Amino acid sequence: MVSQSEFDDDDRSSCGSDSFSVDTNVALSEMLGLPYSYFLDGLSSSHPDDDDGGPDRHRDDDDYDYDHDHDHERCESISPSLFDGVEAIGEGVRALEMTTLSPPPRPPPTGPSSPRVSFLDVPRRCSRYRHHPSDVTAFVVHDLFDAEECRSIIRLASSSSSSSSSSSGIVPSSGFGYVTEAAHADDDGNVHVVKLADGANHHKLSVFEHGPTVDALWTKLGRSVLPHIESFVRHVQSGPPLGLNPRLRVLRYDANDDDVFDPHFDATTRVTVGKREEEMEEYDENDDEDDVPVRGKTTLSSLLTVLIYLNDGGGVDFDGGETHFIDHDYGDSASSRHRHYRGVGGGTDATSTRITPERGKVVVFEHDLYHMSGPLIFGTKYVLRTDVLFNVKSTDGVGRRRRRRRRRRLGGSSLPENDDELANTTTTTTTTTTPTTPRTLIDACRWLSLAVEDVRVLDEIGLLDSTLDNLLAPGVHAIREVLRDVVDGRTAEGLIQAALESRRDDVGRNIII
Ligand SMILES: O=C(O)CCC(=O)C(=O)O
Ligand SMILES: [Fe+2]
């Protein structure tokens, strides 16, 4: 089931030309379905316009705003055909051309030509961090790209030389192919290539960089996506979205080969970009002393996945192959997969929210939602996968403080007009969703703002669902031992204190330890 919200577009577009380089880890576990990261080295490029200063960015304490005029001027030189240059792919795919990292425009005012947006109601346990479905960011933008744009991307992917990736040996040397190896970068930056288990990733992939395409995609996506991720941006304190992953991935699924994408979470990709001098000064002022980035460079992290369907499902070019958002405790064993697959056909049921691919349709969602692509009945599915990049100090924030999406707070109808209204709305929400005294361990995790890793590990050892009362059942000393094994001492004590508090409230007196 989806709830609908229309918004309107304007003709403002963003383009830009920050110097750009990728020289660090790009996690590929999302496309491999495995916790490996893919390390790219030595890719760098600069754009001829690097020295022109690019668009200015002004950042206030609690909000952000941009000077669009500069962007707007620059964009006027862009050809009306967004994908000009894509045809020249033979010589056009370079190790790394450049990508747009200028901020997208502010949300547009209402107007008649806006793409339609549907918000997704994901299953209750779809979020890795157990965020309530109304707290997560997941939506569909309809008809954002036209037939020619989609065809151009398929052509680009089919003829891609993938030269930039050949050193890792994990992508096909040309066009689409199965990924059979993954590279994992350890803490010292050493790369280890491992063979994937058979069938770990049963779909074809073409990975490539192509600056003009990334720019064109971001021009459209930035302005369509931005109005719908404001609350996400505030929750995770990520600052504004800064661009797309320069590395494009087109996935191809053939019915004849039984191609699928098994259930998985997407992983964060890290991309190092060059910074202009004036932006660095901003960093120097605001950052903690021990957290000042290397001069001239900063690392952006992807937090949101973007899928762009490049051809039509629903029995047109192919049938089946829907994207499913699923409960993550449904497991990923063959038997549970079959349970999901049985339901293929569109719509939503108790454990799956299904999206039928349509050419030009875009799905945007936070990385931490469990999802998969089901089997095809006939034909070939093409989908482009990219990510929205942010400048976050730590991706921990993604799993922490959450506020309910404001449209839900307000009964799904009217939206607050300004930030003050949003602030009021979210304050109310925080009060209702986070009890003053936590009752369950997951409440306590929120209450204590535990890091994502801590929550994950508590989940892994099966404690997350326990009530605080049950937590203490084996006795405080015993549970302290267990907790200290998996989280640091302070966190363990925090959780124990929360449990003691909860018990104190229940019985109206202190318990004896
Ligand atoms: O093909 C799809 O529908 C899903 C693709 C996906 O999950 C991914 O690329 O990470
Ligand atoms: Fe994915």
Side-chain angles (χ1 to χ4, degrees), residues 246-258:
R247 177 141 297 198
L248 297 169
R249 283 163 265 170
V250 176
L251 292 83
R252 174 184 160 148
Y253 304 81
D254 290 297
N256 288 343
D257 296 331
D258 294 328

Side-chain angles (χ1 to χ4, degrees), residues 27-93:
L28 278 197
S29 51
E30 71 275 30
M31 57 187 203
L32 305 171
L34 287 173
Y36 296 120
S37 65
Y38 168 37
F39 187 80
L40 296 171
D41 205 8
L43 300 174
S44 70
S45 73
S46 59
H47 189 268
D49 292 349
D50 278 353
D51 291 332
D52 74 359
D56 295 325
R57 183 155 64 106
H58 304 300
R59 183 158 183 177
D60 298 322
D61 278 352
D62 279 319
D63 202 357
Y64 52 88
D65 204 354
Y66 308 120
D67 174 356
H68 301 293
D69 296 343
H70 192 97
D71 283 0
H72 192 48
E73 250 172 56
R74 294 174 55 78
C75 287
E76 283 177 351
S77 64
I78 285 188
S79 157
S81 164
L82 288 179
F83 288 80
D84 276 3
V86 172
E87 285 296 60
I89 190 58
E91 69 274 14
V93 181

Side-chain angles (χ1 to χ4, degrees), residues 264 266 371 385:
H264 64 284
D266 290 337
H371 61 284
R385 157 75 197 280

Side-chain angles (χ1 to χ4, degrees), residues 45 69 81 103 170-171 216 235 247 278 280 292 296 310 370 456 462:
S45 73
D69 296 343
S81 164
I170 71 162
V171 291
H235 300 154
R247 177 141 297 198
E278 65 270 30
M280 290 309 298
V292 176
L310 301 174
Y370 206 48
R456 190 180 304 150

Side-chain angles (χ1 to χ4, degrees), residues 328-342:
H328 64 79
D329 52 0
Y330 223 60
D332 58 1
S333 66
S335 64
S336 63
R337 278 204 301 276
H338 281 118
R339 274 184 280 165
H340 293 299
Y341 292 169
R342 266 210 307 269

Side-chain angles (χ1 to χ4, degrees), residues 22 24-30 37-38 40 244-247 249 266-272 299-304 367 385-390 392 395:
V22 176
T24 186
N25 299 334
V26 175
L28 278 197
S29 51
E30 71 275 30
S37 65
Y38 168 37
L40 296 171
L244 293 179
N245 186 346
R247 177 141 297 198
R249 283 163 265 170
D266 290 337
T268 292
T269 295
R270 295 203 168 74
V271 177
T272 298
T299 299
L300 304 181
S301 304
S302 75
L303 302 179
L304 292 172
H367 284 346
R385 157 75 197 280
T386 182
D387 315 273
V388 183
L389 301 175
F390 296 83
V392 279
T395 49

